[in-house]
Amino acid sequence: MQNLTEFSSNATSPMRLSVIIKVCVVVPFFCIFLFCMVAMLHTFASHRQFLESTRYILFSFMLVNDSLQLLTSVLLFLFAMAQLKIIIAFCTPLLFLSIVTFQNTPLILATMSLERYTAIFHPLHRPAAWRSDRIWITILFLVLVGSIFPVVDFSISRPHPSVDVLSTLVFCKSPNLMSSPVQTLFRVSQNGLFFAVVAIVILFTYIRILLQTRSMRQGRVSAAKAMHTVLLHGFQLLLCMMAFMLPITESLIVLHHDWLPEDLNFFNYFSFILIPRFLSPLIYGLRDQGLRGYMRRAVQCCRHRVRPNATGKPHIRSF
């Protein structure tokens, strides 16, 4: 019995070390992402010109959406690493929020591209819903559209009447709650529809702005900036679509490398879920000259707020 216990302990220690390494990689990465998102949102809330711009309001909504998506994703990751079972009543909202925020991102990108399109072609006759004081109507519409399909999906997967959702413990993973072939086909179809429609919208707006840029004599600079912005939205869409690379990478890695299933899942999660979600808003935010300038000033103010005086003690500057 003692030898069996020692063998079991030696076998599980590498797995525990692997779990610790994965957690130590994901949690600091998420903290850095969250710090950047909070800094951007604080910059938006602190300056009126951002709150009066439709483009920045939509970008702020995308920051909040991606932060919620990664927050739920990291929580589910930590539950999986800890092999922790939770009740269905708590797991279902987490999965629902994760799916809704995942689908909202391409919708927001399409809306931001259309906003640039209307700003170029209809600068004086923009629809009322595109104004900064009424953009919340568009945002609510996006949330509603992004929630319809997950509601239908979860309605299909109603638990058996004998299962108590308030007491039954499960590993909080999508296959444990939504594993029927009908649901799998439904999710694949809806994701393909979402990303296809968004890709068409972005491609249409990019081509129209490109043609307009070549024919315009005045306002050529603003049209070129709008074209580059729409092109960046296309790149952000490609980053979001990297999540659909999971089956391809799994088959390629299994064929060429002898990876453990948990290591393969972590590689896919970190490479195709975390990194794209981190890069997408960061690239777009730091590319903007106005936002970058305000964030640089904020960093400089924090850096000069505390200065050592002659006695070696920090001197707090008052503003």
Side-chain angles (χ1 to χ4, degrees), residues 259-310:
W259 283 26
L260 295 174
E262 55 269 19
D263 294 335
L264 178 59
N265 292 333
F266 176 75
F267 173 80
N268 287 330
Y269 171 70
F270 188 79
S271 301
F272 302 115
I273 301 297
L274 281 185
I275 291 182
R277 293 286 172 172
F278 176 75
L279 291 179
S280 178
L282 192 63
I283 293 175
Y284 185 84
L286 296 182
R287 171 186 172 272
D288 188 272
Q289 295 181 356
L291 177 61
R292 188 171 64 247
Y294 279 107
M295 292 188 68
R296 186 185 297 115
R297 295 175 192 173
V299 172
Q300 291 176 353
C301 289
C302 293
R303 188 176 297 174
H304 295 294
R305 187 179 294 271
V306 179
R307 288 185 175 180
N309 56 17

Side-chain angles (χ1 to χ4, degrees), residues 17 28 32 111 215 220 239 246 248 296:
L17 179 60
I32 294 174
T111 305
S215 61
R220 192 182 184 93
L239 289 176
L246 302 185
I248 300 176
R296 186 185 297 115

Side-chain angles (χ1 to χ4, degrees), residues 53-60 112 115-116 229 284 288:
S53 174
T54 303
R55 180 164 66 97
Y56 288 113
I57 294 175
L58 288 174
F59 179 57
S60 300
M112 295 176 73
E115 189 275 333
R116 289 292 84 198
T229 300
Y284 185 84
D288 188 272

Side-chain angles (χ1 to χ4, degrees), residues 49-61 111-112 115-116 118-119 126-136 138-139 284:
Q49 62 268 32
F50 293 129
L51 299 178
E52 295 177 348
S53 174
T54 303
R55 180 164 66 97
Y56 288 113
I57 294 175
L58 288 174
F59 179 57
S60 300
F61 175 53
T111 305
M112 295 176 73
E115 189 275 333
R116 289 292 84 198
T118 56
R126 304 179 68 181
W130 288 108
R131 298 205 306 261
S132 59
D133 57 338
R134 295 190 179 182
I135 193 62
W136 60 270
T138 303
I139 293 176
Y284 185 84

Side-chain angles (χ1 to χ4, degrees), residues 33 37 40-41 44 55-70 101 104-110 112 139 142 232-233 236-237 240 276-285:
F33 167 85
M37 298 305 103
M40 290 185 186
L41 291 174
F44 288 144
R55 180 164 66 97
Y56 288 113
I57 294 175
L58 288 174
F59 179 57
S60 300
F61 175 53
M62 186 176 72
L63 292 180
V64 174
N65 180 83
D66 287 353
S67 298
L68 290 176
Q69 206 281 328
L70 278 187
T101 51
N104 276 342
T105 299
L107 295 179
I108 299 171
L109 293 176
M112 295 176 73
I139 293 176
L142 293 178
L232 181 60
H233 293 332
Q236 290 177 283
L237 180 65
C240 295
R277 293 286 172 172
F278 176 75
L279 291 179
S280 178
L282 192 63
I283 293 175
Y284 185 84

Side-chain angles (χ1 to χ4, degrees), residues 4 24 177 284:
L4 180 60
C24 291
L177 297 181
Y284 185 84

